[in-house]
Amino acid sequence: MTTPTLTSHPTLATADPRPRLHHKPGRNTLILFFGLLLGGLFYTAWSLFRDIDATGTVITTWTPFLLLGVALLIALGFEFVNGFHDTANAVATVIYTHSLPASVAVVWSGFFNFLGVLLSSGAVAFGIIALLPVELILKVGSSAGFAMVFALLLSAIIWNLGTWWLGLPASSSHTLIGSIIGVGVANALMHGRDGTSGVDWSQAAKVGYSLLLSPLVGFACAALLLLALRHLVKRQDLYQAPVGNTPPPWWIRGLLILTCTGVSFAHGSNDGQKGMGLIMLILVGTLPMAYALNRTMPAEQSLQFAAVAEVTQHALQRSAPQLLTADPRQTLSDFIRQPTASPELVPALAALAGSIGEEVKGYGSLNRVPAEAMANVRNDMYLTSETIRLINKHQLVTFTPDTQDKVQLFKRQLDDATRYIPLWVKIAVAIALGLGTMVGWRRIVVTVGEKIGKTHLTYAQGASAELVAMCTIGVADMYGMPVSTTHVLSSGVAGTMVANGSGLQMRTIVNLMMAWVLTLPAAIVMAGGLYWILRQVF
């Protein structure tokens, strides 16, 4: 028995395996949607004012809050667009195998996207930030910093909306990373430097490899998994198109729902962090008195931090006892722009480590750092942490094992003080991403479900592609690597079509490859151009 193609026209409507996707949301659904939307906005505003009030800062102007409000709306808008652009990849298989009705699948996916964001580690968030030019991160509250954040988010939103309108499963991760590279290159060129100096290319390459390899992994592993399933399980109905709206056998239906849940959770955990990282940059730039440092760090831990800083300073001074003649901040800033060892590098690092320790010890805890000093203390910490990272990465300085251990412990404590995400930021991003999954998902679902292969998606194909996607994204999240849910799932579906002998619709495959190839250069050019324009505006 052959599998009917998608272009066939069965006599009976009930024989058509395609799901019914066109239905209007009910009143209760709309009430829930807008209730969560308004509740999320109110909770975000309340959390902001609560945190500012806790600092004891007297508000004299509302300008920073207006900028903050616009930036937060754009950042949350990016996550909302990311939700309806990428969630189709989680629900397409359960919808086209009739494991869940479309309306139930979308709400189910949205809920687990929400949970994924809430329970995420934050590693991906700061992996994305590490791609940004350090000089812009250090002055994120300046006009250049605002131009950077707005250019990143606007270019990513524009490209995501364009590919969604065309029904192309393009990668939000790919788009955001291209935007970061574009801003870095434009910033370097505007300062008269070589454009290649504006980006940490080794970090970009690390991320690029994960984005490049993940669809290949999805294609190959899904194809192999389907072949293994055909060898082990001989039920023919698993490898044929559904008849009408017939659901799959209970065990494979459970597997499909489980993998849909896993992909949704992993997508929330991985993609939600990208928005968190950018929101933290916005908060540090506009309200450093509340968000530059982790004010929740206990006083005892702060005093321990000061002690570790002092011990690290002495260890570094023993490693390089020569006198420092230049400003340590300028020395480390020059090193970060051009990582080459100089005689004054280690003495400058020792001096700044000691200065940070003395400041924290003098204040008693991070919570007691005065509002006007917050941004400067954070910049010193961030500059020191990045210097240590680059020294280790390029192996420019050889420390004794004891000194190396002290330096690494100091770096971990620096990161604890500067790289944190408040709970309300996670909740706001979770709501934006979760609600986004309920809007506009049909275009991408139809592409994944009907336009990749020449035949309707079978039960076994859906389970294989979704299981591989869930595992791939989950592993990437564990290692803090941003991968594309879109590329992994769509390539997995393509792999199962090839393994099943179903054939591919080459027009769709070419379009998907074109979107994959063009996303990076388009995002680079768009973000770079927007950054230049916004620098003139600000």
Side-chain angles (χ1 to χ4, degrees), residues 70-157:
V70 173
L72 282 179
L73 285 175
I74 295 175
L76 293 174
F78 166 74
E79 286 299 332
F80 185 85
V81 172
N82 189 5
F84 71 72
H85 189 278
D86 284 10
T87 197
N89 302 288
V91 300
T93 54
V94 290
I95 291 174
Y96 271 83
T97 56
H98 307 295
S99 299
L100 287 175
S103 56
V104 175
V106 170
V107 174
W108 183 267
S109 177
F111 176 71
F112 281 96
N113 267 283
F114 178 88
L115 285 183
V117 176
L118 285 185
L119 300 177
S120 59
S121 64
V124 174
F126 297 111
I128 287 290
I129 290 177
L131 291 172
L132 292 166
V134 174
E135 62 187 278
L136 289 182
I137 295 177
L138 294 178
K139 53 184 180 181
V140 70
S142 65
S143 60
F146 277 108
M148 170 187 69
V149 172
F150 285 139
L152 289 177
L153 293 170
L154 289 174
S155 60
I157 289 173

Side-chain angles (χ1 to χ4, degrees), residues 143-433:
S143 60
F146 277 108
M148 170 187 69
V149 172
F150 285 139
L152 289 177
L153 293 170
L154 289 174
S155 60
I157 289 173
I158 291 169
W159 184 257
N160 280 348
L161 286 176
T163 52
W164 165 80
W165 182 258
L166 296 173
L168 295 176
S171 167
S172 298
S173 302
H174 211 162
T175 306
L176 184 59
I177 288 164
S179 299
I180 290 172
I181 293 173
V183 168
V185 171
N187 181 67
L189 292 174
M190 290 172 68
H191 285 83
R193 302 196 304 270
D194 181 0
T196 58
S197 66
V199 178
D200 185 346
W201 289 106
S202 59
Q203 180 71 12
K206 180 181 175 183
V207 173
Y209 287 140
S210 70
L211 290 172
L212 175 65
L213 293 176
S214 55
L216 301 178
V217 170
F219 183 94
C221 291
L224 291 173
L225 183 57
L226 180 66
L227 292 174
L229 194 61
R230 291 182 72 100
H231 179 72
L232 297 172
V233 182
K234 302 299 184 181
R235 288 190 55 167
Q236 289 302 310
D237 57 337
L238 297 181
Y239 313 105
Q240 298 169 354
V243 178
N245 293 323
T246 306
W250 67 269
W251 63 273
I252 202 147
R253 185 179 190 180
L255 178 62
L256 281 160
I257 294 173
L258 176 65
T259 51
C260 167
T261 304
V263 169
S264 300
F265 184 88
H267 174 258
S269 180
N270 196 281
D271 279 36
Q273 293 188 58
K274 297 158 192 170
M276 286 183 214
L278 294 174
I279 286 175
M280 287 310 299
L281 277 183
I282 295 167
L283 292 172
V284 169
T286 52
L287 301 173
M289 75 291 290
Y291 299 106
L293 298 175
N294 186 359
R295 298 168 60 88
T296 62
M297 181 182 287
E300 303 80 28
Q301 189 175 345
S302 298
L303 293 175
Q304 181 188 14
F305 172 89
V308 170
E310 183 178 358
V311 169
T312 303
Q313 179 190 21
H314 295 325
L316 290 170
Q317 287 173 337
R318 287 193 296 271
S319 297
Q322 60 264 41
L323 294 176
L324 179 67
T325 59
D327 176 13
R329 294 176 182 83
Q330 188 60 50
T331 300
L332 298 190
S333 297
D334 293 341
F335 167 75
I336 284 174
R337 275 193 285 268
Q338 189 66 41
T340 54
S342 69
E344 293 196 330
L345 175 60
V346 176
L349 183 60
L352 199 53
S355 174
I356 293 169
E358 289 175 5
E359 285 183 305
V360 174
K361 184 178 180 180
Y363 294 128
S365 74
L366 296 184
N367 193 39
R368 296 175 187 168
V369 177
E372 61 273 13
M374 276 281 188
N376 290 334
V377 174
R378 178 190 183 276
N379 283 352
D380 286 350
M381 290 182 176
Y382 195 89
L383 189 60
T384 304
S385 176
E386 283 298 294
T387 299
I388 295 171
R389 181 180 72 85
L390 291 174
I391 287 175
N392 290 335
K393 175 182 171 183
H394 298 291
Q395 299 180 343
L396 297 173
V397 179
T398 302
F399 295 121
T400 64
D402 181 63
T403 300
Q404 180 68 21
D405 290 342
K406 289 181 171 64
V407 169
Q408 287 304 112
L409 175 60
F410 184 47
K411 183 183 186 306
R412 285 196 295 272
Q413 298 213 350
L414 288 170
D415 291 344
D416 288 341
T418 57
R419 302 187 177 194
Y420 73 103
I421 299 173
L423 178 61
W424 73 262
V425 172
K426 287 189 174 186
I427 293 175
V429 170
I431 291 174
L433 190 65

